[in-house]
Amino acid sequence: MLRKIIKIDEELCNGCGLCASACHEGAIAIKDGKAKLIRDDYCDGLGNCLPVCPTGAITFEEREAAAYDEEAVKKHIEAQKPSPTHGGCPGSMARTIQRENPAVGEGAPRPAHGGCPGSMARAIHREEQAAPRMAAAAPAAQSELMQWPVQIKLVPLQAPYFDGANLLIAADCTAYAYSNFHSDFIRNHVTLIGCPKLDAGDYAEKLTEILKLNRIRSVKVVRMQVPCCGGLEDAVKRALLASGKMIPWQVVVISTDGEIVDM
């Protein structure tokens, strides 16, 4: 049938993922770093994705396309929902990580009792420092990770370690860019990581359920200073609003040369 449907200009698309987040029908996915209309019959032609696109890559066109199929959309959305029970890969099984004498500060959660830095390649030059020989090096810093798994798509909706947790939601690249990531951010936090440019789907729905179903004390978002990371921050904002809870939250921005530029 001839109908109005969205058109995505891949030349203009920067892969930020905001359109995929805004599309309630799941008609848009980020593939190979670009937004794509995955099926014509998932697009209702209302254009919720248009106003959020920062580059103007999305427009309407009138062409032959399959009719909007509400039943197919419902099945598609249902299939994207994370299962509350564990199955499949043993590496994704939820567990708390206990450490000897963990540093637990005031207001921090106790151990549970029961994107991408742009597409432009560049080198980061740092002053040379004398590297100690491996045998004489100081002991390696201890990991501060409190739970497993950490990927947003893999974590369960409910787990004992979420009870009273300070939640850290971080872009994948931040831990590589910022040298003291474990001590400055992961310590005393339950950590979730993701990349809206590389992961298909919308984080907001799952984050909303995590916030609703658990007693979360605070939320800290750590993102890179690149446009695609805006999708992660946007998903967290929408999840906080949809949860209906008043949860303190903060956003920290890391530059691609590893400095905190905003918090």
Side-chain angles (χ1 to χ4, degrees):
M1 63 180 294
L2 187 67
R3 71 181 184 98
K4 186 173 68 172
I5 197 167
I6 65 161
K7 179 181 180 181
I8 302 173
D9 186 337
E10 292 192 8
E11 292 297 319
L12 294 177
C13 177
N14 66 3
C16 69
L18 293 178
C19 56
S21 298
C23 180
H24 302 302
E25 293 72 34
I28 301 174
I30 305 300
K31 295 185 177 181
D32 300 322
K34 298 288 184 179
K36 298 182 185 297
L37 176 62
I38 56 175
R39 274 181 50 168
D40 288 357
D41 58 345
Y42 290 172
C43 178
D44 60 8
L46 297 179
N48 288 338
C49 52
L50 269 70
V52 301
C53 179
T55 64
I58 305 176
T59 56
F60 278 124
E61 66 174 346
E62 191 168 354
R63 63 173 174 83
E64 285 291 333
Y68 174 63
D69 188 337
E70 187 174 359
E71 287 304 314
V73 168
K74 287 180 180 179
K75 291 179 181 179
H76 171 61
I77 296 300
E78 191 65 29
Q80 305 308 306
K81 290 183 178 180
S83 171
T85 57
H86 173 73
C89 174
S92 64
M93 184 178 297
R95 66 187 182 95
T96 299
I97 298 174
Q98 302 285 359
R99 303 196 182 280
E100 295 182 6
N101 301 319
V104 180
E106 184 178 354
R110 302 281 172 177
H113 54 271
C116 58
S119 58
M120 182 169 59
R122 69 184 186 90
I124 298 174
H125 300 285
R126 306 191 188 280
E127 294 182 5
E128 291 186 4
Q129 298 179 351
R133 296 178 64 85
M134 186 64 71
Q142 176 175 281
S143 171
E144 298 289 348
L145 192 64
M146 296 175 61
Q147 98 293 338
W148 187 264
V150 295
Q151 287 283 352
I152 295 174
K153 287 181 171 289
L154 297 181
V155 294
L157 296 179
Q158 287 184 288
Y161 52 72
F162 279 132
D163 184 35
N166 290 319
L167 197 61
L168 171 67
I169 303 175
D172 290 359
C173 298
T174 53
Y176 293 93
Y178 189 78
S179 61
N180 292 328
F181 195 81
H182 274 251
S183 61
D184 290 359
F185 293 116
I186 294 181
R187 179 178 294 171
N188 299 328
H189 286 75
V190 167
T191 303
L192 308 183
I193 65 170
C195 176
K197 186 168 184 177
L198 301 180
D199 290 342
D202 183 5
Y203 295 138
E205 183 178 355
K206 184 168 186 178
L207 292 176
T208 299
E209 292 304 306
I210 290 174
L211 296 175
K212 281 183 176 180
L213 296 173
N214 301 280
R215 188 171 61 91
I216 303 298
R217 299 180 59 152
S218 69
V219 175
K220 180 177 289 186
V221 180
V222 182
R223 52 161 290 189
M224 296 298 297
Q225 192 184 27
V226 293
C228 53
C229 269
L232 182 65
E233 182 178 343
D234 175 71
V236 174
K237 287 179 181 178
R238 288 186 287 115
L240 286 164
L241 287 171
S243 73
K245 295 183 177 180
M246 297 294 291
I247 302 175
W249 69 291
Q250 176 189 16
V251 178
V252 179
V253 181
I254 307 293
S255 68
T256 53
D257 58 357
E259 301 294 329
I260 296 176
V261 294
D262 190 22
M263 64 184 302

